[in-house]
Amino acid sequence: MNGDSIQYIVELDKKARERVAEARRQAEQIDADAKRKTEQLLEEYKSHSRQRLEMAEKSYREETDKKISQIEANKQEKIASFDKALSDNREALEEQIFSAVIGKNRRQ
């Protein structure tokens, strides 16, 4: 072997090492990009999930508030109806209570 052949082999080895190093750098870059993209997708998924939960919570809360309002309205109607019945029949009810307590009719 002469000097030119050795120099040529050394150059080939140097280029091969440079290519291997470049391939490793690219692999590391691809790995870093994949990790970054995975983290980004995970954050997007979490954000989307939070938004869906908030929307569901708002919907359930509105539905519950509506039902509570309906129950409250029904309660108020029943109270008003009871108050009216009590007012309309006050004397008769008082007489019945008096009779039940005293055991006789008050107006005799």
Side-chain angles (χ1 to χ4, degrees):
M1 273 196 173
N2 63 24
D4 287 339
S5 297
I6 294 174
Q7 185 64 29
Y8 178 73
I9 292 172
V10 169
E11 280 297 316
L12 285 178
D13 182 59
K14 181 180 174 185
K15 287 181 182 182
R17 289 177 192 266
E18 288 173 354
R19 286 183 181 170
V20 168
E22 179 61 26
R24 284 188 180 138
R25 279 192 295 274
Q26 288 177 352
E28 289 171 359
Q29 183 63 41
I30 289 169
D31 187 47
D33 289 346
K35 285 180 182 177
R36 193 169 38 254
K37 184 66 175 176
T38 299
E39 290 172 6
Q40 178 186 0
L41 289 172
L42 184 58
E43 284 304 313
E44 289 174 5
Y45 176 77
K46 286 179 183 179
S47 175
H48 183 67
S49 295
R50 276 191 298 270
Q51 289 174 350
R52 289 184 65 185
L53 283 172
E54 288 170 2
M55 288 172 48
E57 181 182 3
K58 181 181 177 186
S59 174
Y60 292 139
R61 183 172 289 135
E62 288 172 354
E63 184 177 327
T64 301
D65 289 345
K66 183 178 177 181
K67 286 180 181 179
I68 289 171
S69 294
Q70 289 172 343
I71 291 169
E72 185 65 29
N74 288 340
K75 179 184 93 173
Q76 291 302 324
E77 286 177 24
K78 287 179 182 179
I79 289 172
S81 176
F82 179 74
D83 286 345
K84 183 176 181 332
L86 182 62
S87 177
D88 291 348
N89 299 308
R90 177 173 241 95
E91 286 185 34
L93 291 169
E94 286 174 354
E95 188 64 39
Q96 287 176 356
I97 292 169
F98 183 78
S99 294
V101 172
I102 302 298
K104 59 182 177 179
N105 200 342
R106 182 169 60 162
R107 295 188 179 181
Q108 291 178 352

mmCIF file of all heavy atoms in Angstrom, residues 43-60:
data_model
loop_
_atom_site.group_PDB
_atom_site.id
_atom_site.type_symbol
_atom_site.label_atom_id
_atom_site.label_comp_id
_atom_site.label_asym_id
_atom_site.label_seq_id
_atom_site.Cartn_x
_atom_site.Cartn_y
_atom_site.Cartn_z
ATOM 1 N N GLU A 43 -51.397 17.925 25.437
ATOM 2 C CA GLU A 43 -51.946 19.179 25.953
ATOM 3 C C GLU A 43 -53.230 19.565 25.222
ATOM 4 O O GLU A 43 -54.185 20.012 25.843
ATOM 5 C CB GLU A 43 -50.918 20.311 25.849
ATOM 6 C CG GLU A 43 -49.839 20.242 26.897
ATOM 7 C CD GLU A 43 -50.382 20.230 28.318
ATOM 8 O OE1 GLU A 43 -51.260 21.062 28.641
ATOM 9 O OE2 GLU A 43 -49.936 19.384 29.109
ATOM 10 N N GLU A 44 -53.257 19.380 23.908
ATOM 11 C CA GLU A 44 -54.471 19.661 23.141
ATOM 12 C C GLU A 44 -55.609 18.744 23.590
ATOM 13 O O GLU A 44 -56.748 19.186 23.732
ATOM 14 C CB GLU A 44 -54.213 19.499 21.646
ATOM 15 C CG GLU A 44 -53.348 20.589 21.054
ATOM 16 C CD GLU A 44 -52.975 20.339 19.597
ATOM 17 O OE1 GLU A 44 -53.467 19.352 19.000
ATOM 18 O OE2 GLU A 44 -52.185 21.134 19.062
ATOM 19 N N TYR A 45 -55.296 17.471 23.822
ATOM 20 C CA TYR A 45 -56.302 16.516 24.277
ATOM 21 C C TYR A 45 -56.837 16.924 25.647
ATOM 22 O O TYR A 45 -58.045 16.921 25.882
ATOM 23 C CB TYR A 45 -55.692 15.109 24.328
ATOM 24 C CG TYR A 45 -56.624 14.079 24.880
ATOM 25 C CD1 TYR A 45 -57.661 13.565 24.109
ATOM 26 C CD2 TYR A 45 -56.478 13.619 26.187
ATOM 27 C CE1 TYR A 45 -58.530 12.623 24.620
ATOM 28 C CE2 TYR A 45 -57.339 12.674 26.699
ATOM 29 C CZ TYR A 45 -58.357 12.175 25.921
ATOM 30 O OH TYR A 45 -59.220 11.248 26.439
ATOM 31 N N LYS A 46 -55.927 17.288 26.560
ATOM 32 C CA LYS A 46 -56.352 17.715 27.897
ATOM 33 C C LYS A 46 -57.227 18.960 27.813
ATOM 34 O O LYS A 46 -58.250 19.061 28.482
ATOM 35 C CB LYS A 46 -55.130 18.006 28.774
ATOM 36 C CG LYS A 46 -54.409 16.767 29.245
ATOM 37 C CD LYS A 46 -53.195 17.169 30.083
ATOM 38 C CE LYS A 46 -52.390 15.979 30.525
ATOM 39 N NZ LYS A 46 -51.205 16.377 31.305
ATOM 40 N N SER A 47 -56.815 19.910 26.987
ATOM 41 C CA SER A 47 -57.580 21.149 26.834
ATOM 42 C C SER A 47 -58.968 20.850 26.273
ATOM 43 O O SER A 47 -59.972 21.363 26.766
ATOM 44 C CB SER A 47 -56.837 22.114 25.922
ATOM 45 O OG SER A 47 -57.606 23.260 25.679
ATOM 46 N N HIS A 48 -59.012 20.025 25.257
ATOM 47 C CA HIS A 48 -60.294 19.652 24.639
ATOM 48 C C HIS A 48 -61.178 18.925 25.655
ATOM 49 O O HIS A 48 -62.382 19.190 25.745
ATOM 50 C CB HIS A 48 -60.038 18.781 23.410
ATOM 51 C CG HIS A 48 -61.275 18.403 22.675
ATOM 52 N ND1 HIS A 48 -62.059 19.311 22.005
ATOM 53 C CD2 HIS A 48 -61.888 17.195 22.529
ATOM 54 C CE1 HIS A 48 -63.100 18.681 21.466
ATOM 55 N NE2 HIS A 48 -63.016 17.402 21.773
ATOM 56 N N SER A 49 -60.577 18.041 26.420
ATOM 57 C CA SER A 49 -61.330 17.306 27.442
ATOM 58 C C SER A 49 -61.884 18.259 28.493
ATOM 59 O O SER A 49 -63.035 18.127 28.911
ATOM 60 C CB SER A 49 -60.439 16.256 28.115
ATOM 61 O OG SER A 49 -60.053 15.277 27.191
ATOM 62 N N ARG A 50 -61.058 19.228 28.934
ATOM 63 C CA ARG A 50 -61.522 20.210 29.921
ATOM 64 C C ARG A 50 -62.690 21.015 29.364
ATOM 65 O O ARG A 50 -63.678 21.260 30.062
ATOM 66 C CB ARG A 50 -60.384 21.148 30.328
ATOM 67 C CG ARG A 50 -59.495 20.603 31.413
ATOM 68 C CD ARG A 50 -58.560 21.668 31.955
ATOM 69 N NE ARG A 50 -57.643 22.193 30.973
ATOM 70 C CZ ARG A 50 -56.440 21.706 30.720
ATOM 71 N NH1 ARG A 50 -55.993 20.678 31.395
ATOM 72 N NH2 ARG A 50 -55.675 22.246 29.802
ATOM 73 N N GLN A 51 -62.589 21.410 28.106
ATOM 74 C CA GLN A 51 -63.668 22.188 27.491
ATOM 75 C C GLN A 51 -64.955 21.371 27.424
ATOM 76 O O GLN A 51 -66.036 21.887 27.718
ATOM 77 C CB GLN A 51 -63.259 22.646 26.095
ATOM 78 C CG GLN A 51 -62.202 23.729 26.089
ATOM 79 C CD GLN A 51 -61.718 24.043 24.679
ATOM 80 O OE1 GLN A 51 -62.026 23.356 23.726
ATOM 81 N NE2 GLN A 51 -60.931 25.101 24.565
ATOM 82 N N ARG A 52 -64.844 20.119 27.058
ATOM 83 C CA ARG A 52 -66.036 19.262 26.984
ATOM 84 C C ARG A 52 -66.648 19.058 28.362
ATOM 85 O O ARG A 52 -67.874 19.084 28.517
ATOM 86 C CB ARG A 52 -65.688 17.919 26.340
ATOM 87 C CG ARG A 52 -65.397 18.058 24.847
ATOM 88 C CD ARG A 52 -65.146 16.750 24.200
ATOM 89 N NE ARG A 52 -66.369 15.938 24.255
ATOM 90 C CZ ARG A 52 -66.434 14.704 23.844
ATOM 91 N NH1 ARG A 52 -65.384 14.111 23.342
ATOM 92 N NH2 ARG A 52 -67.566 14.025 23.921
ATOM 93 N N LEU A 53 -65.802 18.878 29.373
ATOM 94 C CA LEU A 53 -66.314 18.727 30.740
ATOM 95 C C LEU A 53 -67.003 20.003 31.206
ATOM 96 O O LEU A 53 -68.058 19.949 31.840
ATOM 97 C CB LEU A 53 -65.175 18.369 31.696
ATOM 98 C CG LEU A 53 -64.700 16.924 31.645
ATOM 99 C CD1 LEU A 53 -63.432 16.749 32.489
ATOM 100 C CD2 LEU A 53 -65.781 15.980 32.117
ATOM 101 N N GLU A 54 -66.407 21.145 30.895
ATOM 102 C CA GLU A 54 -67.016 22.418 31.282
ATOM 103 C C GLU A 54 -68.366 22.607 30.595
ATOM 104 O O GLU A 54 -69.326 23.073 31.215
ATOM 105 C CB GLU A 54 -66.077 23.581 30.952
ATOM 106 C CG GLU A 54 -64.867 23.653 31.868
ATOM 107 C CD GLU A 54 -63.805 24.643 31.397
ATOM 108 O OE1 GLU A 54 -64.015 25.319 30.363
ATOM 109 O OE2 GLU A 54 -62.752 24.733 32.059
ATOM 110 N N MET A 55 -68.442 22.245 29.321
ATOM 111 C CA MET A 55 -69.700 22.361 28.591
ATOM 112 C C MET A 55 -70.748 21.424 29.178
ATOM 113 O O MET A 55 -71.909 21.806 29.348
ATOM 114 C CB MET A 55 -69.480 22.067 27.099
ATOM 115 C CG MET A 55 -68.732 23.162 26.372
ATOM 116 S SD MET A 55 -68.257 22.752 24.664
ATOM 117 C CE MET A 55 -69.749 22.086 23.974
ATOM 118 N N ALA A 56 -70.342 20.199 29.504
ATOM 119 C CA ALA A 56 -71.278 19.238 30.095
ATOM 120 C C ALA A 56 -71.749 19.731 31.457
ATOM 121 O O ALA A 56 -72.944 19.661 31.770
ATOM 122 C CB ALA A 56 -70.618 17.866 30.219
ATOM 123 N N GLU A 57 -70.814 20.243 32.250
ATOM 124 C CA GLU A 57 -71.173 20.761 33.572
ATOM 125 C C GLU A 57 -72.153 21.926 33.446
ATOM 126 O O GLU A 57 -73.156 21.991 34.174
ATOM 127 C CB GLU A 57 -69.922 21.221 34.318
ATOM 128 C CG GLU A 57 -70.204 21.753 35.706
ATOM 129 C CD GLU A 57 -68.958 22.242 36.423
ATOM 130 O OE1 GLU A 57 -67.861 22.226 35.830
ATOM 131 O OE2 GLU A 57 -69.083 22.658 37.576
ATOM 132 N N LYS A 58 -71.886 22.819 32.508
ATOM 133 C CA LYS A 58 -72.782 23.964 32.296
ATOM 134 C C LYS A 58 -74.168 23.480 31.879
ATOM 135 O O LYS A 58 -75.181 23.964 32.387
ATOM 136 C CB LYS A 58 -72.199 24.888 31.227
ATOM 137 C CG LYS A 58 -73.039 26.097 30.950
ATOM 138 C CD LYS A 58 -72.438 26.970 29.861
ATOM 139 C CE LYS A 58 -73.353 28.143 29.552
ATOM 140 N NZ LYS A 58 -72.887 28.928 28.432
ATOM 141 N N SER A 59 -74.216 22.518 30.977
ATOM 142 C CA SER A 59 -75.492 21.979 30.508
ATOM 143 C C SER A 59 -76.255 21.329 31.651
ATOM 144 O O SER A 59 -77.454 21.566 31.822
ATOM 145 C CB SER A 59 -75.237 20.960 29.395
ATOM 146 O OG SER A 59 -76.438 20.333 29.024
ATOM 147 N N TYR A 60 -75.566 20.516 32.454
ATOM 148 C CA TYR A 60 -76.226 19.856 33.588
ATOM 149 C C TYR A 60 -76.693 20.886 34.612
ATOM 150 O O TYR A 60 -77.771 20.751 35.181
ATOM 151 C CB TYR A 60 -75.299 18.839 34.249
ATOM 152 C CG TYR A 60 -74.999 17.639 33.385
ATOM 153 C CD1 TYR A 60 -73.719 17.105 33.321
ATOM 154 C CD2 TYR A 60 -75.989 17.031 32.613
ATOM 155 C CE1 TYR A 60 -73.436 16.008 32.532
ATOM 156 C CE2 TYR A 60 -75.715 15.939 31.821
ATOM 157 C CZ TYR A 60 -74.436 15.430 31.780
ATOM 158 O OH TYR A 60 -74.162 14.343 30.996
#
